[in-house]
Amino acid sequence: MTHVTERPVSGQPENGNRQLWTAEGSTNRRRTVTYADAGVSIHAGDRAVEMLKDKVARTHRPEVLGGLGGFSGLFKLDTSKYKSPVLASSTDGVGTKLAIAQQMNIHDTVGIDLVAMVVDDLVACGAEPLFLLDYIACGEVVPDRIAEIGAGIADGCRYAGCALLGGETAEHPGLMRPDEYDLSANGVGVVEEDAILGAERVQVGDAVIAMRSSGLHSNGYSLVRHVLLGQARLKLDSVIEDLGDQRTLGEELLTPTKIYAKDCLTLIAECEVHALVHVTGGGIPGNLVRVLPKHVDAIVNRSTWAPQPIFDLIQRKGRIDTADLESTFNMGVGMFAVVSAADADRAMALLTGRGVECWHVGDIVEGTGQVHMLGHHTRG
């Protein structure tokens, strides 16, 4: 974060006794209306930024120039490393998963979700995530809360290997409640032009490798809240036996999104990868179809894995049709890799060695650009 607008303590000058500026000709004969009276602070945000400096610094790569506080972040791209570099960019947010975090007063995980949504979109085309800039809009700048959010963003950047280059925190009194906030971020990556992944590389005979998700990730939470907290009237602090591990519903719903960026970059370097698919809104069929040329189909065999119990809980409580469930949630798969058949075993061995649960979920066959979900999920 490069800038935060904040609220000084009422009746006291900002930054102690130091007067930052004065208007010529002003007098102190009567109290004037201040920005703080309108609900916007200048002091608390400095504390939040100060609390985050060490965390942000640990995300910096050698290409980062300068530190926090500038009007822009600077990143010196070493073009000598590339023959024909192409920049990739992605923008995303966390969605209504934030409502769960705000209800539970837990704010140190949603930053990881934010980074995951951006960097795993970048790596899907083969790009290495370079840096990320965040935006936090809130009703009131509370330093500890902003620091928790920012710490999660910094953690996510470290997991992805990208720099947290800067950002903005904006206070919106009157527009948002004091305890309300929203997050978004923009990320930039780089990929060689002749190494861009996508539908052009996918061919008949390729293997489709699934990588397990950590849970719901950050999609479909409007439906989750409608079904579980609305229709079923479940409480976030209740322990749901079906979820196992004595986890409360709230803890399950706030499970951070898994970040696959480094694992996928290693996979690209070691195996013949033709496409990567980040499973977000639209679920498995809605995202896998995006990398299919018109002359092939993708076969996905449901019997090769068991989704986490949270998906079954949502389906049962909401009486949701399987097709609707699969078009909304990741169903236990956060990322697909489409690889050459000859490299399928090697790809799975590499991912397993990196601690990523994966399996051969299906294949690419002749067709018309469609995804076919076959069979039934295993249980337990």
Side-chain angles (χ1 to χ4, degrees), residues 125-140:
C125 73
E128 175 192 0
L130 297 176
F131 58 83
L132 180 137
L133 297 101
D134 66 77
Y135 179 80
I136 305 172
C138 60
E140 178 181 350

Side-chain angles (χ1 to χ4, degrees), residues 96 98-107 179 225 229 236:
T96 61
L98 294 177
I100 306 297
Q102 290 160 24
Q103 284 180 257
M104 296 188 67
N105 197 29
I106 296 175
H107 313 288
D179 62 340
R225 293 184 301 112
L229 307 184
L236 292 174

Side-chain angles (χ1 to χ4, degrees), residues 24 63 142 155 186 225 307:
E24 290 186 11
E63 302 96 328
V142 178
D155 285 342
N186 173 260
R225 293 184 301 112

Side-chain angles (χ1 to χ4, degrees), residues 13-312:
E14 298 165 1
N15 295 321
N17 295 320
R18 181 167 61 90
Q19 188 171 350
L20 299 182
W21 59 271
T22 59
E24 290 186 11
S26 68
T27 69
N28 293 320
R29 284 179 293 183
R30 57 189 299 181
R31 185 179 184 278
T32 59
V33 175
T34 68
Y35 208 7
D37 292 328
V40 176
S41 170
I42 303 295
H43 180 63
D46 284 341
R47 297 202 305 270
V49 171
E50 191 63 32
M51 294 166 70
L52 279 171
K53 277 187 175 179
D54 289 343
K55 277 271 191 181
V56 173
R58 288 199 288 270
T59 74
H60 283 181
R61 297 163 49 117
E63 302 96 328
V64 175
L65 304 180
L68 293 179
F71 288 99
S72 60
L74 301 176
F75 190 95
K76 185 177 181 180
L77 181 64
D78 183 2
T79 56
S80 66
K81 294 169 54 178
Y82 308 94
K83 296 178 181 177
S84 182
V86 174
L87 294 180
S89 65
S90 176
T91 299
D92 212 333
V94 181
T96 61
K97 186 174 186 175
L98 294 177
I100 306 297
Q102 290 160 24
Q103 284 180 257
M104 296 188 67
N105 197 29
I106 296 175
H107 313 288
D108 59 351
T109 60
V110 289
I112 298 174
D113 295 304
L114 178 64
V115 176
M117 291 296 99
V118 174
V119 299
D120 285 339
D121 273 356
L122 289 175
V123 81
C125 73
E128 175 192 0
L130 297 176
F131 58 83
L132 180 137
L133 297 101
D134 66 77
Y135 179 80
I136 305 172
C138 60
E140 178 181 350
V141 170
V142 178
D144 287 345
R145 183 167 63 213
I146 297 299
E148 288 181 36
I149 297 168
I153 297 172
D155 285 342
C157 286
R158 285 193 299 105
Y159 302 155
C162 68
L164 179 52
L165 197 57
E168 173 78 2
T169 298
E171 197 167 29
H172 293 162
L175 184 63
M176 305 175 78
R177 298 189 310 271
D179 62 340
E180 187 179 6
Y181 59 84
D182 196 10
L183 308 178
S184 65
N186 173 260
V188 172
V190 63
V191 59
E192 287 282 9
E193 185 175 10
D194 62 3
I196 297 174
L197 304 180
E200 297 79 8
R201 294 175 177 261
V202 175
Q203 53 193 281
V204 173
D206 283 350
V208 182
I209 307 300
M211 301 178 217
R212 192 163 183 83
S213 69
S214 57
L216 289 166
H217 284 186
S218 296
N219 299 104
Y221 273 76
S222 294
L223 181 57
V224 169
R225 293 184 301 112
H226 176 74
V227 169
L228 299 185
L229 307 184
Q231 288 183 346
R233 298 184 179 180
L234 299 178
K235 303 298 182 182
L236 292 174
D237 60 357
S238 60
V239 175
I240 309 296
E241 184 177 350
D242 292 353
L243 300 180
D245 299 326
Q246 292 298 300
R247 287 162 61 87
T248 66
L249 177 61
E251 289 170 337
E252 174 66 33
L253 297 183
L254 284 186
T255 301
T257 305
K258 184 169 177 58
I259 295 175
Y260 302 93
K262 284 186 175 181
D263 303 310
C264 289
L265 290 173
T266 301
L267 190 66
I268 292 168
E270 299 293 333
C271 301
E272 186 181 336
V273 179
H274 294 159
L276 291 168
V277 178
H278 187 199
V279 184
T280 55
I284 290 173
N287 285 282
L288 188 52
V289 73
R290 296 163 70 176
V291 301
L292 298 181
K294 293 183 178 180
H295 66 282
V296 307
D297 286 351
I299 303 297
V300 175
N301 187 348
R302 296 187 189 95
S303 68
T304 59
W305 86 96
Q308 292 90 335
I310 186 65
F311 298 104
D312 182 59

